[in-house]
Amino acid sequence: MLYYICINKGLGILEGQMVKDELRALVIEILESKSHVTINELAQKTYTSESTIRRALKEMESAGDLVRTRGGASLVREDSLEKGMHYRYGSHILEKRRIAIAAEKLIEDGQRIMIDSSSTALIFAEQIRRHKYMDILTNGLRTAVELSEIMDHTTNLYCACGHIHTEASGVYGGSTTAYIEQHQADLAFISGRGLDSRIGISDSRDEEADIKKAMMKASDCVVVLIDSSKFEKTNFFASLGFDQIDVLVTDKKLPQDIAEKLEQFDVHLIVADS
């Protein structure tokens, strides 16, 4: 279903059709500025009907993005480990797209690549449609579907097997890591929930960390895609140390302590154009 929208962005008027993911991203952006927003307020700010907003909120609640309240909605707590893919996809989406565009330049036709199930990697996957003769392996369900729709017949797509985690829209577990380790890739594109100078990339679930370690072992070059909202954040499970990262792509200048770690371990840094 497509939605029509007209938004005053301050720099001009953006008009046209908006798909569901983009409406969700806008709703999340509005909710992030306030602890609670009414249906009427969301309808006015998105130039859609209240019935459209109600349907969107119902779907977003089912996906774990928010909690519906009487007459409105609130975001899930910031410390929740189970934010849905729709929320993560919409959060900091402009920064993630800049990172994805910069990272796409690292790919050449005919390469073998791995892509994890993160929202940043999903946005990256949307950028690689022009490439051909690829072998692509992912543990992301939405990433696999997206690639199946945009890549041409010369590309072979593989989705890892294992336990499906619906909120994360990914496949995890021992069978998943074993499947990944049976393959060898030129590049692995990986994200994380935190980046700090002490441990590097970290995640909130051990299964996420295990996937990234498996992709690192099965790839010649590890590319980390991480937006600036993750700087100086640490989660319970360490995923990748700086000595296991070859390239880091981000959207802003790094804090000094993290920049020094990248230099110490000879990690190539790419800061996406604004």
Side-chain angles (χ1 to χ4, degrees):
M1 182 181 295
L2 297 174
Y3 298 88
Y4 287 87
I5 194 158
C6 174
I7 311 165
N8 189 334
K9 288 290 188 181
L11 299 176
I13 301 296
L14 175 65
E15 297 181 285
Q17 290 182 319
M18 174 173 282
V19 297
K20 282 187 177 182
D21 280 338
E22 291 172 321
L23 178 60
R24 288 189 179 101
L26 183 57
V27 169
I28 287 167
E29 181 181 336
I30 294 168
L31 284 169
E32 284 182 329
S33 66
K34 298 179 67 175
S35 60
H36 178 267
V37 182
T38 66
I39 289 173
N40 179 263
E41 186 176 357
L42 286 171
Q44 290 181 2
K45 289 188 175 183
T46 60
Y47 289 83
T48 55
S49 67
E50 291 190 10
S51 60
T52 295
I53 290 297
R54 287 192 183 92
R55 287 194 298 270
L57 295 182
K58 183 177 181 180
E59 292 177 3
M60 292 173 72
E61 184 178 49
S62 297
D65 302 337
L66 50 77
V67 177
R68 285 189 295 166
T69 61
R70 186 175 181 84
S74 300
L75 284 180
V76 292
R77 298 191 321 272
E78 182 61 30
D79 60 352
S80 171
L81 301 184
E82 300 303 332
K83 285 183 176 178
M85 171 59 85
H86 293 309
Y87 174 88
R88 291 185 289 119
Y89 182 96
S91 180
H92 306 284
I93 191 168
L94 296 180
E95 292 86 349
K96 291 174 181 177
R97 281 181 176 156
R98 286 166 49 204
I99 290 168
I101 291 169
E104 183 273 334
K105 297 175 183 177
L106 299 172
I107 296 180
E108 298 178 359
D109 287 358
Q111 286 185 319
R112 301 160 298 167
I113 67 173
M114 294 185 179
I115 305 174
D116 75 2
S117 62
S118 64
S119 59
T120 306
L122 169 59
I123 294 171
F124 162 74
E126 296 168 354
Q127 299 294 324
I128 66 174
R129 66 176 68 234
R130 70 181 180 86
H131 292 284
K132 298 181 178 181
Y133 304 103
M134 308 286 289
D135 289 309
I136 305 176
L137 186 155
T138 183
N139 73 309
L141 298 178
R142 285 193 61 186
T143 302
V145 171
E146 177 69 21
L147 289 169
S148 72
E149 293 176 349
I150 66 175
M151 302 304 290
D152 76 5
H153 68 281
T154 65
T155 291
N156 298 312
L157 301 176
Y158 304 89
C159 186
C161 57
H163 173 247
I164 295 175
H165 192 289
T166 55
E167 295 295 342
S169 191
V171 185
Y172 302 92
S175 57
T176 313
T177 56
Y179 181 83
I180 291 169
E181 290 170 356
Q182 292 173 6
H183 299 78
Q184 186 63 34
D186 299 303
L187 296 159
F189 293 89
I190 294 169
S191 190
R193 306 223 183 184
L195 171 65
D196 79 304
S197 60
R198 187 171 61 87
I199 62 173
I201 301 296
S202 60
D203 282 285
S204 57
R205 298 172 59 242
D206 57 345
E207 290 178 323
E208 290 180 324
D210 289 344
I211 292 294
K212 289 156 195 184
K213 291 172 183 175
M215 288 187 173
M216 178 272 297
K217 292 177 182 177
S219 301
D220 296 334
C221 178
V222 175
V223 182
V224 169
L225 314 175
I226 196 154
D227 69 80
S228 53
S229 70
K230 313 293 176 47
F231 293 172
E232 306 289 14
K233 289 188 177 180
T234 306
N235 294 272
F236 194 62
F237 297 97
S239 297
L240 297 174
F242 290 100
D243 59 330
Q244 298 170 316
I245 302 170
D246 297 293
V247 181
L248 189 143
V249 188
T250 188
D251 61 292
K252 284 186 180 179
K253 181 180 178 181
L254 293 170
Q256 184 63 31
D257 57 342
I258 298 177
E260 290 175 355
K261 282 288 188 176
L262 264 63
E263 184 175 357
Q264 177 185 345
F265 289 96
D266 197 27
V267 178
H268 180 59
L269 173 64
I270 298 174
V271 179
D273 295 332
S274 58

